[in-house]
Amino acid sequence: RATDRGLDVRPIAAERDLLDVDVDWLLSVHYPNVLDGDLLDHPSEGALNLHQAELPRYRGANMFTHAIVNARKDDHWRYGTTIHFMAERVDAGDVVARKFLDIRETDTARTLYDRTEDASVDLFEETLPAIVSGEVHGMATPQDEFDGERYYYAKSSLDGEKLIPAAELVDADGDAARDGELYDKVRALDFPPHEPAYTELDGRRVYLTASGYEEPNP
């Protein structure tokens, strides 16, 4: 879309080229790199991030998965999306605006992501006039003014979490386990097209999804 409108587009590897361009605002959406102070201080108005999770509760990565896993444990069945000013510390800047939605017991990480994406677009559209007018500066609230649990998860936080031993899928009588935490973990890792949770039977990998048991293609 930017190219169609005659705007300059650069690859991630050339992010520091931004320092050679006069800009009012820097807006980050799903950007994979942590920006340093030079880049964050460069825009004349400020640097904003659209973080698709509730801040300050959830900082970092893999938020949809962890929020589903934590919902039952913390009895916190709310998810959110946040616009905040960026700081050199990941997802630690002042909060500008948030929008919330419920975590459903039927949600998978993918369905929660899809609903949050819609809420994020709405949040940005609602906040855009304040960004244009500069009123957004007066809306900034430091994160230490918010109450509640706080979590930070690295991009590697799901490494090794997808294998569920077959023994955990049955109870002491050999029947299918009816474990809420197990169910939550399976649906929390159900995010097509990424590989879901799985178990191993007779040397074969069997995928586990919220809709049932699914054997992968050979």
Side-chain angles (χ1 to χ4, degrees), residues 48 56 69 76 79 103 107 130 139 151 163 179 184 202 205:
L48 294 171
V69 169
H76 187 85
Y79 196 71
I103 299 175
D107 266 323
M139 298 164 60
Y151 297 96
L163 172 60
D179 186 318
D184 292 342
D202 298 326
R205 181 172 292 189

Side-chain angles (χ1 to χ4, degrees), residues 104-119:
R104 303 167 179 166
E105 287 210 69
T106 55
D107 266 323
T108 63
R110 181 74 211 200
T111 63
L112 183 59
Y113 169 86
D114 289 340
R115 293 195 294 117
T116 303
E117 186 175 46
D118 291 339

Side-chain angles (χ1 to χ4, degrees), residues 119-130:
S120 297
V121 172
D122 292 341
L123 178 64
F124 181 71
E125 290 180 343
E126 294 166 5
T127 309
L128 184 56

Side-chain angles (χ1 to χ4, degrees), residues 61-147:
N62 304 315
M63 297 292 89
F64 303 97
T65 292
H66 293 296
I68 290 174
V69 169
N70 291 339
R72 195 179 308 276
K73 173 174 64 72
D74 293 347
D75 195 25
H76 187 85
W77 295 88
R78 183 179 78 172
Y79 196 71
T81 183
T82 307
I83 292 177
H84 68 97
F85 280 97
M86 299 177 71
E88 289 190 67
R89 186 164 164 254
V90 176
D91 299 330
D94 293 352
V95 171
V96 170
R98 304 184 296 178
K99 184 176 283 289
F100 298 103
L101 57 157
D102 292 335
I103 299 175
R104 303 167 179 166
E105 287 210 69
T106 55
D107 266 323
T108 63
R110 181 74 211 200
T111 63
L112 183 59
Y113 169 86
D114 289 340
R115 293 195 294 117
T116 303
E117 186 175 46
D118 291 339
S120 297
V121 172
D122 292 341
L123 178 64
F124 181 71
E125 290 180 343
E126 294 166 5
T127 309
L128 184 56
I131 297 174
V132 173
S133 68
E135 296 176 31
V136 69
H137 292 287
M139 298 164 60
T141 303
Q143 293 194 24
D144 58 12
E145 294 188 15
F146 294 90
D147 296 325

Side-chain angles (χ1 to χ4, degrees), residues 2-211:
T3 300
D4 290 344
R5 287 161 174 75
L7 300 175
D8 193 17
V9 178
R10 302 293 178 91
I12 290 175
E15 65 181 21
R16 299 196 70 78
D17 289 354
L18 178 65
L19 297 173
D20 299 325
V21 182
D22 291 333
V23 295
D24 297 323
W25 288 100
L26 185 156
L27 176 63
S28 168
V29 182
H30 286 306
Y31 194 68
N33 293 350
V34 178
L35 302 182
D36 61 27
D38 289 341
L39 285 167
L40 295 180
D41 292 339
H42 180 64
S44 60
E45 290 290 335
L48 294 171
N49 182 41
L50 178 57
H51 178 68
Q52 293 194 77
E54 176 187 347
L55 286 179
R57 186 177 184 85
Y58 286 116
R59 295 173 47 239
N62 304 315
M63 297 292 89
F64 303 97
T65 292
H66 293 296
I68 290 174
V69 169
N70 291 339
R72 195 179 308 276
K73 173 174 64 72
D74 293 347
D75 195 25
H76 187 85
W77 295 88
R78 183 179 78 172
Y79 196 71
T81 183
T82 307
I83 292 177
H84 68 97
F85 280 97
M86 299 177 71
E88 289 190 67
R89 186 164 164 254
V90 176
D91 299 330
D94 293 352
V95 171
V96 170
R98 304 184 296 178
K99 184 176 283 289
F100 298 103
L101 57 157
D102 292 335
I103 299 175
R104 303 167 179 166
E105 287 210 69
T106 55
D107 266 323
T108 63
R110 181 74 211 200
T111 63
L112 183 59
Y113 169 86
D114 289 340
R115 293 195 294 117
T116 303
E117 186 175 46
D118 291 339
S120 297
V121 172
D122 292 341
L123 178 64
F124 181 71
E125 290 180 343
E126 294 166 5
T127 309
L128 184 56
I131 297 174
V132 173
S133 68
E135 296 176 31
V136 69
H137 292 287
M139 298 164 60
T141 303
Q143 293 194 24
D144 58 12
E145 294 188 15
F146 294 90
D147 296 325
E149 295 287 342
R150 301 184 183 216
Y151 297 96
Y152 172 78
Y153 295 100
K155 292 180 181 179
S156 60
S157 60
L158 300 184
D159 291 356
E161 292 296 317
K162 294 189 175 183
L163 172 60
I164 300 177
E168 295 183 12
L169 300 176
V170 296
D171 60 23
D173 298 322
D175 298 322
R178 297 184 178 276
D179 186 318
E181 291 184 5
L182 178 61
Y183 168 68
D184 292 342
K185 184 174 183 178
V186 167
R187 64 195 181 93
L189 292 168
D190 191 348
F191 196 132
H194 300 289
E195 183 179 48
Y198 64 89
T199 193
E200 294 179 343
L201 297 173
D202 298 326
R204 296 183 303 164
R205 181 172 292 189
V206 179
Y207 288 149
L208 307 173
T209 69
S211 58

